[in-house]
Each structure stands twice: as C-alpha cells, then as structure tokens.
Amino acid sequence: MNYRKLGKTGFNVSEISLGTWQVGGKWGDPFSHETADAILNKAVDSGINFIDTADVYGDGESEKAVGRLVRSRSERVYVATKCGRQLQPHVNEAYQPEAIRKFVEASLRNMQLETLDLIQLHCPPTEVYYRPEIFEVFDRLKEEGKILNLGVSVEKVEEGLKALTFSNVTTIQLIFNMFRQRPTELLFSEAKRHDVGLIVRVPLASGLLTGKFSRETTFSPDDHRQFNRDGAAFDKGETFSGVDYETGLAAVEELKKVFPDQPNLAPIALRWVLMFDEVSCVIPGASKPSQLESNLSAAELPALSGEQMEAVRSIYEQRIKPLVHNLW
C-alpha cells in the first residue's frame, strides 16, 4: 500500500481507502454487522488506514461498525464521518450551529470515541458555503477536543472552491472518475495551493466503470441505481455520476477497447484516479470482501501510459462532456 498526505491534516493515509456506504451489505439488504466486520478488518489487514463513514449510512449502523473496528485494532486508523444529511427537510435554513453540534456529539456516542479525526459537512445546500457561522462552530468543537479536523463533502466544483475560502477546511470530498473530469480544470490546482486534501468518492460511477453492467442488468427497487437515476431522492450526480445509463454503457464499451486485457475495469478506473497527484486518497465502497480485494489490486497496477490517459480523456470529451460537464 502506498500512502499520501491528506492536506493540512498532516495524516499520511492509504491512497486506496474505504468508503462504508455499503459496508453492511448490498443496497436494499438489512445491515449485516458480520459482513461489515469482515470487510473492515480485511481492509486494515491490507494496509488501509483511512475509513469514511456518515451518520446516515445504515441509519447509524455503519458508524457503530467503524467505531468497533477502531477500538479493537492496535493500528492507527483515521476515521472520517459526516453530518447534516439527517436534517429534514435538507435545506439551508435547517443548518444551524446547535444542530451541527448535536450531530457531532451523536456520532461520538455512536462510535464510542472521544475525538473525530475528521468531520465533514455532508453535501449541504450551496447556500451553506456562504455562511461563516456554520464553519465557525467547528473551531469551537476543535477547542473542546471533539474533532481534530473539518472537511466538506461537495456535489459541485463551485462548492469546493468556496469551501477553500475557509481556513479551517482541511479536506474536500468530491466525485471524480473517468466520467466526472471537471474538477481537474481548477479545483485540483486550487486545493493544492491551499494544502487541502482531496478525497475521491464514487470512483467507479456507481459500478458502471467495473465494465460488468449491461442493458440486462437489474437493480432492486431499494437500490439508488434504480430509484435515483433522475435525482428523485438525492443529487442525481451521486448515481452513475449523473450520466445516462445507456450513454455510460456505450462509453464503457469504448474503454474496454483501450484496456483489452482487463476483464474487470474497476482496478483500472481506480488507478486512473490515482494518476492525479492532487488526490490524497480514493474511497471505493465494498459490500463484500471480494470487492475490497478488487479495489486493493489497483495499488499493484503500473502507471497508465500517456496514450491510455489520452484515450480516456478523448472518450470523456466525446461521449460524456457535452451532457454533464457543467452540471457539477
């Protein structure tokens, strides 16, 4: 495993880390702590030392599993969680300093930890990034020893750029993959200039970039890849990176021609993300240990060639960019 600096947190984190949206099992299934424990422990056994969760994942069960892991291991495991998505309705006006404080304290109780290594605002409405009082409350929480660092999880490049104006923001979590390349235009360089770490989520475009899906693939009614394709439940960009499913399948077929010797495109897609030095780590999810093994294999791949990088860029420019580039 290779390690990279996570911005001004000073943490050296595994470049392939773990997101825990699905750690209790596949979408729509009840949360399995047995599955979660198997995945989480295998991750640490394999050198992963950064785990991303959120208070809404599995209605809090993901946080419980992550906290149990950290307390049971001797290795230094950095824990990042998120807050804000419990607000109903999830609107700018609902974001208040006291509500944020209660969420942070609830996460600490849920994980049975004294301090959070990293707390992230969980994709708040864009207006929240223009309210200094929301960011200021995290300074008080840090003074009280409840958090070490503040980060933001964003939907849009604009939100990431605005977050950089707050000096206490240490990380930005964003969607970045072969089908979502806009962040490289400005956000990457600005984050580097501010020494802010970049945490990449949805690196496989909700599984599209594994190359294993087809027109015949079906998803359960409780799977966001079925019910959120038009953004009915949350931001459309979280599902297949906002790319129309048929368009995505066509682009994947072209990617397979660029990497003809790869039966599973997932490791290639992760290695592509890691070709960008500004990225601190990538946090693919796993609903079973075998998916974790696939993700980890990306660390063993050689760097992609200039020709391969150009081919990926060309597919994006022709197939994807005209449809989604300016949306996020």
Side-chain angles (χ1 to χ4, degrees), residues 65 73 76 103 105 107 116 159 194 215 221 235-236 270 298:
R73 302 290 300 224
R76 178 64 165 105
F103 289 145
E105 292 171 347
S107 287
L116 299 175
E159 296 164 350
H194 287 81
R215 289 175 179 80
D235 192 285
K236 179 181 176 181
L270 295 176

Side-chain angles (χ1 to χ4, degrees), residues 14 16-25 36 39-40 43 48 50-54 57 62 66 80 82 120 173 199-203 281-288 291-292 295:
S14 46
I16 297 173
S17 291
L18 180 65
T20 60
W21 199 0
Q22 304 163 277
V23 76
I39 293 170
L40 289 166
I48 288 176
F50 180 82
I51 298 175
D52 176 82
T53 186
Y57 293 174
S62 176
V66 171
K82 312 183 198 75
Q120 303 159 97
Q173 184 179 138
I199 302 167
V200 170
R201 73 177 185 277
V202 198
C281 66
V282 58
I283 51 170
S287 60
K288 51 188 177 182
Q291 291 176 343
L292 177 63
N295 297 339

Side-chain angles (χ1 to χ4, degrees), residues 16 264 266-268 270-271 292-301:
I16 297 173
N264 177 11
I268 291 290
L270 295 176
R271 189 68 186 87
L292 177 63
E293 292 172 3
S294 170
N295 297 339
L296 289 166
S297 70
E300 302 169 6
L301 293 176

Side-chain angles (χ1 to χ4, degrees), residues 4-303:
R4 301 186 182 192
K5 181 169 168 283
L6 184 60
K8 52 191 172 185
T9 68
F11 301 157
N12 283 314
V13 299
S14 46
E15 62 181 16
I16 297 173
S17 291
L18 180 65
T20 60
W21 199 0
Q22 304 163 277
V23 76
K26 67 180 183 179
W27 263 94
D29 286 355
F31 192 98
S32 166
H33 279 277
E34 182 179 0
T35 298
D37 288 348
I39 293 170
L40 289 166
N41 279 286
K42 183 176 181 61
V44 176
D45 290 342
S46 302
I48 288 176
N49 71 345
F50 180 82
I51 298 175
D52 176 82
T53 186
D55 54 6
V56 292
Y57 293 174
D59 292 327
E61 297 305 306
S62 176
E63 280 192 337
K64 291 178 184 177
V66 171
R68 183 170 61 248
L69 168 89
V70 171
R71 299 193 311 274
S72 69
R73 302 290 300 224
S74 61
E75 299 91 339
R76 178 64 165 105
V77 179
Y78 299 105
V79 174
T81 191
K82 312 183 198 75
C83 64
R85 295 296 302 193
Q86 292 189 70
L87 293 168
Q88 295 295 333
H90 187 242
V91 295
N92 172 47
E93 293 76 14
Y95 275 79
Q96 299 298 329
E98 191 54 36
I100 295 298
R101 171 178 289 277
K102 288 180 179 178
F103 289 145
V104 170
E105 292 171 347
S107 287
L108 286 168
R109 290 193 299 272
N110 212 19
M111 291 192 276
Q112 299 181 41
L113 299 175
E114 294 184 0
T115 306
L116 299 175
D117 295 314
L118 176 65
I119 182 68
Q120 303 159 97
L121 285 170
H122 197 174
C123 299
T126 303
E127 298 93 328
V128 172
Y129 293 91
Y130 293 82
R131 295 175 56 196
E133 75 274 16
I134 298 300
F135 289 80
E136 192 272 343
V137 71
F138 293 100
D139 288 333
R140 306 289 79 78
L141 290 165
K142 185 174 182 179
E143 290 168 359
E144 296 165 18
K146 294 176 179 177
I147 69 169
L148 292 181
N149 296 282
L150 167 65
V152 296
S153 183
V154 304
E155 298 288 4
K156 301 177 180 179
V157 166
E158 173 196 347
E159 296 164 350
L161 293 171
K162 181 58 182 173
L164 290 173
T165 67
F166 295 98
S167 61
N168 61 348
V169 169
T170 64
T171 64
I172 295 173
Q173 184 179 138
L174 73 162
I175 298 175
F176 177 62
N177 58 51
M178 291 174 169
F179 289 170
R180 178 75 71 87
Q181 298 191 26
R182 188 182 180 193
T184 61
E185 291 181 352
L186 180 61
L187 183 56
F188 274 29
S189 60
E190 285 298 291
K192 184 176 182 178
R193 188 167 70 86
H194 287 81
D195 193 22
V196 166
L198 294 178
I199 302 167
V200 170
R201 73 177 185 277
V202 198
L204 304 180
S206 307
L208 257 181
L209 289 169
T210 64
K212 296 181 178 180
F213 294 171
S214 70
R215 289 175 179 80
E216 287 70 46
T217 301
T218 58
F219 303 97
S220 74
D222 294 331
D223 192 318
H224 75 105
R225 293 172 293 189
Q226 180 65 35
F227 68 74
N228 195 56
R229 293 189 188 187
D230 295 319
F234 42 82
D235 192 285
K236 179 181 176 181
E238 296 284 349
T239 301
F240 299 133
S241 296
V243 176
D244 171 75
Y245 187 65
E246 294 288 330
T247 300
L249 290 178
V252 166
E253 288 306 307
E254 293 197 30
L255 287 171
K256 289 179 178 179
K257 297 174 185 176
V258 180
F259 304 100
D261 299 326
Q262 298 294 330
N264 177 11
L265 283 180
I268 291 290
L270 295 176
R271 189 68 186 87
W272 181 88
V273 170
L274 294 173
M275 290 295 293
F276 296 84
D277 293 338
E278 298 91 343
V279 170
S280 297
C281 66
V282 58
I283 51 170
S287 60
K288 51 188 177 182
S290 62
Q291 291 176 343
L292 177 63
E293 292 172 3
S294 170
N295 297 339
L296 289 166
S297 70
E300 302 169 6
L301 293 176

